[in-house]
Amino acid sequence: MTKKESPTLKNQTQRTTPTQKWLIAIFTLILVILIGSYFYLDHYYSRETTTQRFVTAIQKDHPKQVAALIRTDDPDFKINAHNVQPLINFYRGNPNQIKKLKRRMSTTGVVNNDMDFVDTGHHFFLFEKFLLEVKPIFPTIESNRSHTQITINGKLAAQNLRKHTVRTFGPLIPGRYHIQATTTVRNKPIVLSRQFEWIEPTAADLKVTTNFK
């Protein structure tokens, strides 16, 4: 005959201790945090959300945030908050173009021949890492006068460009550029200024000739 377990002993066996309750609560909380964090980060690093962060950074003129989402395979071109400003200036000055940029980045990722929004790896080994991959541009400048000074977006680029000497500048990011050439003719300074929208330039677009009269 089998001996029955007493009700008191059975209740003691099934009862959960306070320590066990705390451990279950902590484990459940950690599990909820991990699951919630995964879905949050999966959304945060998605193509669509990263696109929105990039576009918003341009619209609000935040060059550090823009630079953080750009890369290039040119070892001589180090992306930073200063040299992405021409790209920001172009899109801030062309609202229709920024709409096109957002649409293309969030769908195919192909912006134009010089820019692609691509998956470059992973964040934390789990989430896709989207960056705008940019091919740098290399404009050339030629002057019909010797002793020509060239500034690009207010920064001195050439102190003494000689007559009919073609000088290559860059690497530069695609964007809006203001080029100023200064020389002296009959002891009088002459300044030529031009603005260029080099967002998808052809080789011909990048050839700049300054003709002083």
Side-chain angles (χ1 to χ4, degrees), residues 87-116:
L87 181 74
I88 294 173
N89 293 342
F90 171 81
Y91 281 111
R92 282 171 60 85
N94 294 277
N96 289 335
Q97 289 295 322
I98 202 168
K99 290 180 181 178
K100 184 187 294 184
L101 172 72
K102 181 178 180 179
R103 183 175 65 253
R104 290 181 175 179
M105 286 177 64
S106 61
T107 53
T108 64
V110 180
V111 178
N112 55 41
N113 290 328
D114 295 320
M115 296 189 292
D116 288 300

Side-chain angles (χ1 to χ4, degrees), residues 102-186:
K102 181 178 180 179
R103 183 175 65 253
R104 290 181 175 179
M105 286 177 64
S106 61
T107 53
T108 64
V110 180
V111 178
N112 55 41
N113 290 328
D114 295 320
M115 296 189 292
D116 288 300
F117 193 51
V118 296
D119 181 1
T120 62
H122 292 85
H123 295 281
F124 311 115
F125 304 102
L126 293 172
F127 312 103
E128 292 175 310
K129 184 178 182 180
F130 289 98
L131 295 175
L132 186 67
E133 192 169 70
V134 177
K135 294 178 184 177
I137 59 175
F138 297 85
T140 62
I141 301 177
E142 180 183 1
S143 175
N144 67 335
R145 295 275 184 175
S146 291
H147 310 297
T148 299
Q149 178 180 286
I150 303 294
T151 62
I152 300 177
N153 285 354
K155 184 178 179 180
L156 182 64
Q159 180 66 47
N160 188 10
L161 187 64
R162 293 191 296 177
K163 183 178 180 179
H164 298 313
T165 298
V166 178
R167 176 82 67 85
T168 300
F169 298 87
L172 303 173
I173 200 167
R176 173 178 287 176
Y177 287 88
H178 180 262
I179 294 179
Q180 180 174 292
T182 306
T183 193
T184 301
V185 178
R186 300 183 187 92

Side-chain angles (χ1 to χ4, degrees), residues 70-80 83-84 134-138 170-174 177:
I70 294 178
R71 80 166 190 177
T72 177
D73 58 2
D74 189 328
D76 296 322
F77 189 32
K78 306 302 181 183
I79 302 294
N80 57 50
N83 58 30
V84 300
V134 177
K135 294 178 184 177
I137 59 175
F138 297 85
L172 303 173
I173 200 167
Y177 287 88

